[in-house]
């Protein structure tokens, strides 16, 4: 079983990429479980044809953990992809990270944490103990950073990289930086910038996903690109990403080297010009 996580800044395209990746993987007859670990809880919506599935945290609050079954929390979407949303705390109180922990514990208890590939879609703006939990506890074994050439997206990716560098040394099931995915924001020089960022942190850019109208059109039709526009160029991009990820075997001894703030600023300055 391969357990991969997509981490990145909010709004960067983690859920879009995760859902299309899962759909592309499912075309290969692989059994896929996608777990949304973002309080926004829309990770699996396109796989569920627009349906907002109940979140694990809401279900626990309403019914109590003991009364929940696998059918309550795991929902079958496109191509039988199993979909779960951890959900978020009640506004003003509670911890989103605890929701992720509660979700994983419940899935383990119900023996529902299985499949050929598990895709964790995790918010990476705050790399606190809560959101780092999938890496710390050995769930997120291969971590992909989703970024664009936007400075704040790179800043978030670099912070996640710092967490991986720290955690990979001490966790039992070493989590590894598996690569950088550039989800384009149509910024000039973006490909080169993200490629160099990836090299600087001792990784590589494994995919460049163009900004595409097909994504938006599929989204308003409540489908992944793979389902709504299977013949499109964009669908092919996600299929190539799926192949890369299946065949990727990140080396255990390759430790990420996050940048210092001034190095990151210098890097951006070289590529982002007036
Ligand atoms: P995140 O999960 O990181 O918060 P989303 O996947 O929800 O981000 O994406 C935010 C918005 O950007 C969505 O409306 C989505 O349709 C759009 N988007 C993401 N990737 C692309 C892309 N490659 N081309 C066009 N629009 C995209
Ligand atoms: Fe929020 Fe993270 Fe603190 Fe939990 S651990 S309250 S998710 S900042
Ligand atoms: Mg999301």
């Amino acid at each position: 079983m391969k357990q991969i996580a997509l981490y990145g800044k909010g709004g960067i395209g983690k859920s879009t990429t995760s859902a299309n990746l899962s759909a592309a993987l499912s075309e290969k007859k692989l059994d896929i479980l996608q777990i949304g670990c973002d309080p926004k809880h829309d990770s699996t919506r396109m796989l569920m044809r627009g349906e907002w599935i109940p979140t694990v945290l809401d279900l626990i609050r309403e019914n109590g953990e003991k009364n929940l079954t696998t059918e309550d929390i795991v929902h079958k979407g496109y191509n039988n992809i199993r979909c779960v949303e951890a959900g978020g705390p009640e506004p003003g109180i509670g911890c989103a990270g605890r929701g992720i922990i509660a979700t994983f514990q419940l899935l383990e208890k119900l023996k529902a944490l299985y499949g050929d590939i598990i895709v964790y879609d995790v918010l990476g703006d705050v790399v606190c103990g809560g959101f780092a939990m999938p890496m710390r506890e050995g769930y997120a074994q291969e971590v992909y950073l989703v970024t664009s050439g936007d400075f704040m997206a790179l800043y978030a990716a670099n912070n996640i990289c710092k967490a991986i560098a720290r955690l990979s040394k001490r966790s039992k099931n070493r989590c590894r930086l598996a690569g950088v995915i550039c989800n384009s924001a149509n910024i000039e020089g973006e490909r080169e910038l993200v490629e160099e960022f990836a090299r600087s942190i001792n990784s590589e850019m494994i995919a460049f996903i163009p900004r595409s109208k097909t994504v938006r059109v599929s989204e308003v039709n409540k489908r992944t690109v793979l389902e709504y526009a299977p013949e499109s160029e964009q669908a092919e991009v996600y299929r190539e990403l799926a192949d890369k990820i299946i065949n990727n075997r990140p080396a255990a001894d390759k430790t990420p080297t996050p940048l210092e703030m001034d190095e990151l600023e210098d890097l951006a300055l070289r590529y982002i010009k007036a």
Side-chain angles (χ1 to χ4, degrees):
M1 183 168 79
K2 212 170 165 67
Q3 300 193 77
I4 67 162
L6 275 67
Y7 271 83
K9 179 182 175 291
I12 200 62
K14 296 177 298 296
S15 300
T16 306
T17 309
S18 299
N20 280 291
L21 168 65
S22 290
L25 291 167
S26 76
E27 283 183 350
K28 297 175 186 297
K29 305 276 173 271
L30 294 169
D31 180 18
I32 308 298
L33 171 64
Q34 181 168 319
I35 307 182
C37 302
D38 184 331
K40 210 170 18 149
H41 65 90
D42 61 348
S43 175
T44 59
R45 209 161 74 87
M46 294 304 121
L47 294 168
M48 294 300 304
R49 298 193 164 165
E51 185 193 338
W52 294 85
I53 60 172
T55 73
V56 176
L57 273 191
D58 281 345
L59 288 166
I60 291 177
R61 275 193 289 266
E62 284 155 23
N63 306 292
E65 194 220 287
K66 287 193 187 72
N67 301 314
L68 295 176
T69 63
T70 305
E71 288 67 38
D72 294 323
I73 61 175
V74 182
H75 297 258
K76 283 224 170 136
Y78 173 72
N79 252 355
N80 285 327
I81 295 168
R82 288 169 298 122
C83 301
V84 174
E85 293 287 347
E90 285 181 74
I93 50 169
C95 159
R98 285 182 65 87
I100 299 174
I101 297 168
T103 300
F104 291 1
Q105 284 174 344
L106 186 56
L107 285 167
E108 292 216 82
K109 193 181 101 186
L110 295 169
K111 301 198 180 346
L113 210 56
Y114 66 87
D116 295 314
I117 303 188
I118 303 183
V119 179
Y120 301 98
D121 170 6
V122 198
L123 183 63
D125 289 73
V126 191
V127 198
C128 58
F131 287 110
M133 179 269 174
M135 297 191 266
R136 203 174 55 241
E137 298 300 320
Y139 294 99
Q141 292 172 357
E142 298 178 19
V143 177
Y144 290 92
L145 305 178
V146 184
T147 185
S148 67
D150 172 67
F151 183 74
M152 289 318 291
L154 290 166
Y155 175 79
N158 192 53
N159 272 344
I160 300 153
C161 185
K162 283 183 187 167
I164 302 169
R166 178 168 295 145
L167 294 169
S168 61
K169 286 189 204 121
R170 62 180 190 194
S171 69
K172 284 175 283 178
N173 309 297
R174 295 166 58 97
C175 71
R176 294 169 195 171
L177 174 57
V180 176
I181 298 170
C182 180
N183 193 42
S184 173
N186 266 351
I187 297 172
E188 211 185 316
E190 187 173 39
R191 183 191 287 265
E192 292 73 22
L193 167 58
V194 175
E195 266 170 354
E196 188 166 343
F197 168 73
R199 271 195 303 275
S200 311
I201 60 168
N202 199 20
S203 186
E204 65 173 313
M205 187 178 89
I206 64 144
F208 180 89
I209 302 175
R211 189 126 212 112
S212 148
K213 191 179 167 194
T214 316
V215 172
R216 292 204 309 277
V217 174
S218 304
E219 186 177 62
V220 294
N221 284 283
K222 300 177 179 169
R223 305 279 193 280
T224 59
V225 173
L226 272 286
E227 185 178 12
Y228 186 75
E231 310 296 330
S232 64
E233 278 177 31
Q234 192 73 3
E236 215 40 52
V237 170
Y238 293 118
R239 287 189 190 105
E240 279 169 27
L241 173 65
D243 285 332
K244 277 264 174 69
I245 287 179
I246 290 172
N247 296 316
N248 195 6
R249 302 268 179 278
D253 54 356
K254 200 173 169 195
T255 321
T257 52
L259 301 177
E260 296 298 332
M261 193 59 187
D262 55 342
E263 293 175 312
L264 186 64
E265 283 171 348
D266 284 349
L267 177 66
L269 203 59
R270 262 184 278 139
Y271 288 91
I272 304 174
K273 297 206 173 78

